[in-house]
Amino acid sequence: MPPPPPGPPTGPRRRRRAEPGDVPPAPPRRRPRSDTGDLPLPGDPGPSRPVRRPGPPDGSMPPDPRFAGPVDGSMPPDPRFAGPVDGSMPPDPRFNGPVDGSISMPPDPRFAGPPDGSMPRDPRFAGPVDGSMPPDPRFAGPPDGSMPPDPRLGRPGPSPRRRPQPVEHPTDVIPAVPDSAPQEREQLDDLFGDDDYEDEYREDGEYDQAYDDEEYGEYEDAEYEDEEYAEEPAPAKKKKKRKRSKRALGWVAALLVLVVFAGGAYYGYQKIFGYNDFDGTGEGSALIQVEDGDTTSAIGGKLVDAGVVASTSAFVKAGAENTALSRIQQGYYLLKQHMSGESAVSLITSPGAHVGRLEIRPYTQLDDVKQPGDKVAPGIYSAISKASCAELDGKSTCVSTDALRKTVADADLKTLGVPDWAVDPAQKALSKDKRIEGLIAPGLYDVKPGWTASELITNLVKQSASAIQAAGLSAQSTGPKQTPYQTLIVASLIEREAITPDFPKIARVIYNRLDQRIKLGFDSTVNYVVDKPTLLTNKADREAPGPYNTYLNYGLPPTPIGVPSTDAIKAALDPPDGDELYFVKCEKDGHSCFATTLTDHNKNIDLAHSRGVF
């Protein structure tokens, strides 16, 4: 146990040197002076004043009696330091250094080392006196320090010698010896097998020696040191062959993975950036419908559903620079199946692809009309029959006019879609197949090739009923003093007798003559029966009796005589004010001249003759 450290010094203390940041001591306080100076107050003896001592005769500052220093005025020695007389620093009593006063470090009393100051020996090691490492008590080996015998062998004898390393000659052929017994443990290789340099490393003996020393040293005794076992090489060819086969299987598996990955990448690319497409112009037939507002992509989707193209992208990309595709109209289009995108765009924009297009013009009637020069103006029935024609899978879809007439004659008008206000008065037609005269509105219709006659007529009548109502004619909206059906008849007369600018005045003439019970005397009603659109009628036709002869009968004909336009219906609903009772076509452009008296009317007839109108 080392002695305790010495206590604090007992000699005079040194003044501590001022450190930066120390607060300086406060100066001594002085007695405050009175505000009245040194003069005593009355009755007050006043403070005692110090006696002023006379200074030196030369007027210099007298010495301070507080410092009993030398006479020469120098700083007296500090009594706190009992140092040498010469003023030098006294030795520190805490250090019992050498007597000679040197400043060397005294020996540490905690270490009872040698007198020369060297490091004493560690008592924890009871080694030899010369300081060398003592023998390890864990090994009870021979005194000479050699390796003790292995206790695992369990029998005395000389230490086993290592297996001699076989000398390899590059030109020697080592025979392969088959294994006498299967191996107890087989090391699993990686997927691609070990490299060749690992096999060589195992065969040169270094790895085998280390392995034997650590695991199987107990088997290396004299019994296995015969020349038969020592010189026998390890059978490595089969192992190497097995590893090569495993390596080959690994490369095959890796190749399959790459193929699958490449296929997935290609499929993903085609799914995102690519598209499928057929080759050629196609075969068979396919019918699609383009609706109002369909985009190119929407049309492409319908083509895919119908089997026309392989993908929407194939159609869209093929038609990206085709301006005709952007102007495609609604309706039915006859294409082929399994067409390339380019062939589909080319065919759908051709005029022949648009099928089922039906156009009903104002002024048209159900039957065909004979024109001058043996020409025939097709009627509504003929127009419907023509629009129904197409070739689907080698078969015609045409519906004949006779089938259409029979359908109208046999059908219930309400079932066909005729408005309720027209069902009963339409029965007054000349024949049952003409009961829908005037109930077909003008316009463009899309009829699907393959529809039956009933489907064609029903679809057309229902759309026309909506169009007539949209024009303003209904059970609540009619012409002056007329029923809805009578207003439709007036509109058909206006359409046949004049051009659009004269429609309002023609309506006023009709209503004035009806109000005054004057026969209409229209040639159009007479020609309706004979299916002739001539401007003037002959005397025989005007004298022929019949419900449509307005030269003989008062009032309106029993049914409309043709298709009225929206302008004609509006004129019939709201005619202008006027007193006109007569009109005649007096200009070649179709305009009419109106009159309120018969005399003026005859003058207009003469004017028309003079102008060569008729």
Side-chain angles (χ1 to χ4, degrees), residues 70 105 156 164 175 206 222 233 282 297 303 345 371 379 561 563 598:
M105 179 64 69
E206 295 179 8
S297 298
L303 295 180
V345 171
Q371 298 285 351
I561 60 175
V563 175
L598 182 58

Side-chain angles (χ1 to χ4, degrees), residues 13 48 52 83-84 117 135 160 249 252 271 326 346 349 449 490 499 544 571:
R13 294 186 303 168
S48 60
R52 297 178 62 88
L249 290 176
V252 171
K271 196 72 175 177
S326 61
S346 177
T349 54
V490 172
I499 60 177

Side-chain angles (χ1 to χ4, degrees), residues 100-168:
D100 57 0
S102 62
I103 60 174
S104 60
M105 179 64 69
D108 193 342
R110 292 177 296 174
F111 298 93
D116 58 356
S118 62
M119 179 64 69
R121 293 187 301 108
D122 193 342
R124 293 177 296 175
F125 297 92
V129 181
D130 57 358
S132 61
M133 179 64 69
D136 193 343
R138 293 177 296 176
F139 297 93
D144 57 358
S146 60
M147 180 62 70
D150 193 343
R152 294 178 295 176
L153 297 178
R155 60 180 179 270
S159 59
R161 61 185 179 88
R162 294 182 178 274
R163 179 182 299 173
Q165 180 175 346
V167 180
E168 294 184 0

Side-chain angles (χ1 to χ4, degrees), residues 332-391:
Y332 292 94
Y333 290 83
L334 184 61
L335 304 175
K336 297 181 179 180
Q337 292 184 341
H338 302 159
M339 302 181 72
S340 66
E342 185 177 354
S343 299
V345 171
S346 177
L347 181 57
I348 199 172
T349 54
S350 63
H354 198 177
V355 296
R357 193 70 166 174
L358 173 62
E359 182 178 6
I360 303 296
R361 296 183 178 181
Y363 190 95
T364 308
Q365 60 189 52
L366 290 175
D367 295 334
D368 297 343
V369 176
K370 298 177 181 179
Q371 298 285 351
D374 296 333
K375 293 181 180 181
V376 177
I380 295 177
Y381 283 134
S382 297
I384 297 175
S385 177
K386 182 179 180 179
S388 68
C389 292
E391 290 290 333

Side-chain angles (χ1 to χ4, degrees), residues 528-569:
Y528 173 75
V529 178
V530 297
D531 296 331
K532 294 187 300 182
T534 57
L535 183 60
L536 296 177
T537 57
N538 55 38
K539 184 178 181 181
D541 293 335
R542 290 192 297 270
E543 292 179 353
Y548 290 90
N549 190 340
T550 54
Y551 282 95
L552 299 178
N553 303 318
Y554 291 97
L556 298 171
T559 64
I561 60 175
V563 175
S565 64
T566 301
D567 293 332
I569 293 176

